[in-house]
Amino acid sequence: NQWVRNVIVGNVCDRVPPKAKIALLGMAYKPGTHVTDDSESFLIADMLKEAGHTVTWADPLVPQEAYTDAGKAGSPARACVDADAILILTQDAVWNELPWEIVTDMTQEKLVVVDCWRALRARKWRSGVTYWALGLNLNRD
């Protein structure tokens, strides 16, 4: 798991400017639950913060008190406002239901989307979005 965390964080850090704003979608240990014990998302958030980035997170089932080292947004879309990168860290269906055309219009012009579960791989992205699906070596600019 540490190797995967390093790959994710390394790729994000290589693709965003210094002191970037990064939105994390999904903080629970697994989808459909509020359980955060041993959550990889917390470790990824910590690594991104240590690299100098600002982290905002959203997970409808996880209370704000579960991770206080970064701000919880009121909604997934709000977490993405002005983001340089969006990381989808759990396999929740709610991420597929987001209005991505609207969400990506609220982000920075150059945006990195890291999809750890390949949930959005069939989606068409606007110009300026780099989509990276973990495990597929898929890059779309």
Side-chain angles (χ1 to χ4, degrees):
N1 286 345
Q2 183 175 356
W3 180 82
V4 173
R5 282 193 306 273
N6 290 339
V7 167
I8 292 167
V9 172
N11 272 282
V12 170
C13 290
D14 288 347
R15 296 171 188 226
V16 298
K19 299 181 182 180
K21 180 182 178 194
I22 301 174
L24 305 182
L25 303 182
M27 296 297 278
Y29 174 72
K30 61 183 182 177
T33 181
H34 69 282
V35 176
T36 57
D37 297 340
D38 299 321
S39 174
E40 292 291 318
S41 301
F42 290 1
L43 300 172
I44 290 170
D46 290 342
M47 291 172 72
L48 290 166
K49 288 178 53 191
E50 287 173 14
H53 302 296
T54 300
V55 173
T56 304
W57 63 276
D59 190 314
L61 298 177
V62 175
Q64 183 170 347
E65 302 79 40
Y67 187 74
T68 58
D69 290 341
K72 180 179 181 184
S75 70
R78 284 195 181 187
C80 298
V81 172
D82 294 327
D84 295 286
I86 300 170
L87 282 67
I88 301 169
L89 298 175
T90 59
Q91 198 175 7
D92 284 299
V94 67
W95 313 137
N96 290 329
E97 298 165 6
L98 285 175
W100 285 101
E101 295 78 15
I102 296 168
V103 169
T104 57
D105 283 344
M106 299 184 303
T107 64
Q108 297 296 327
E109 182 65 28
K110 289 192 173 234
L111 174 68
V112 175
V113 176
V114 178
D115 184 354
C116 294
W117 296 96
R118 300 172 300 278
L120 305 174
R121 68 180 175 266
R123 181 168 300 282
K124 301 289 185 208
W125 298 95
R126 69 163 168 79
S127 175
V129 174
T130 299
Y131 175 79
W132 182 53
L134 188 65
L136 291 181
N137 294 327
L138 177 63
N139 290 304
R140 284 195 252 173
D141 294 332

